[in-house]
Amino acid sequence: MALLSLIIALLFERYFHTGSSEEREKFSNAGWFVSYQKRLASSFGEQSWFKGWLAEAILILLPVLLIFLLFESLEDGFLSSLFSVALAVVILVHCLGPESPRKSLRGYFSDIANDDEQGAYEHAAKFAGKEADDWEQTQRMVSEAIFTETQRRYAAVVIWFVLLGPAGALLYRLLDWYLANNPEGSLSAPLKTVMDWVAGRVSALAYLLAGDMASGVSRIKKQFFNLNVGGMELIEATGVAAIGPILDCETQQKQKVAENLCALKLTERTGVILFAFVAVMSLLGWTFF
């Protein structure tokens, strides 16, 4: 059912991305999680035990546990299977996105086409969350952000959906939302690090298959099994190294952002490989859901 759920969720993604970003964000915003967090804080915030890792565990793991128990409680049968698939699709669509990196970079590419270098720098800084000193650094910064944002918004969610079912996808997204405002979380930060480490290795292998394997392997062979190398760090290194064979895929007119355009193409090709990975895992019965 994991493969069927993913196919339906991706069809929804394709439909939403043809419309406005606001329409898509309605299905992936963290509004309910913020309200839930405020409700818990108002109810138990003054309690001495509601602090640190225990408060984070209740906040993040409780919804995940409820989803897990709900799926585990469903009996075999057509209606139960139909409900399971429908609920899994809802959770997946909620956890994916809310916007593809290609769509997020429309303003950046538009500014480049219009020779608005300052506007391009501003769009690049907004997308990557940091600034660069010159254009070469800016283009590399955007490429690295393309890989990490694709991982955060899509690949990691899909990988944990396969490994732990809908509860795994939800857990990853809740950690991502929580850490956006609480980066020093005593429980959430190390848990997210572990999840990124695992998902990053799976995605790195997919990038090697989709791009320049020789260059990628030589770049990351010492980092792949290193526990101190984070998942996002590995993704950046692998993605940049694997761009090699498609770097000439753009026309001369687009040379100024050729690396960025090829990075987007590489993430899309990698997505196909990850989809094939889900298909094989599902057909072999090795998925959790």
Side-chain angles (χ1 to χ4, degrees), residues 65-76 80 83-84 87:
L65 180 62
L66 291 176
I67 290 297
F68 174 79
L69 292 176
L70 176 59
F71 277 95
E72 285 294 302
S73 66
L74 293 174
E75 299 177 356
D76 294 333
S80 294
F83 176 76
S84 296
L87 182 57

Side-chain angles (χ1 to χ4, degrees), residues 9 76 129 178 193 208 252:
D76 294 333
Y178 182 79
T193 298
L208 294 177
Q252 188 67 30

Side-chain angles (χ1 to χ4, degrees), residues 200-226:
R201 267 63 190 171
V202 176
S203 293
L205 293 175
Y207 275 112
L208 294 177
L209 292 172
D212 186 345
M213 179 176 288
S215 176
V217 169
S218 65
R219 176 74 182 274
I220 69 165
K221 61 183 179 181
K222 294 182 179 179
Q223 299 177 308
F224 193 85
F225 295 106
N226 190 335

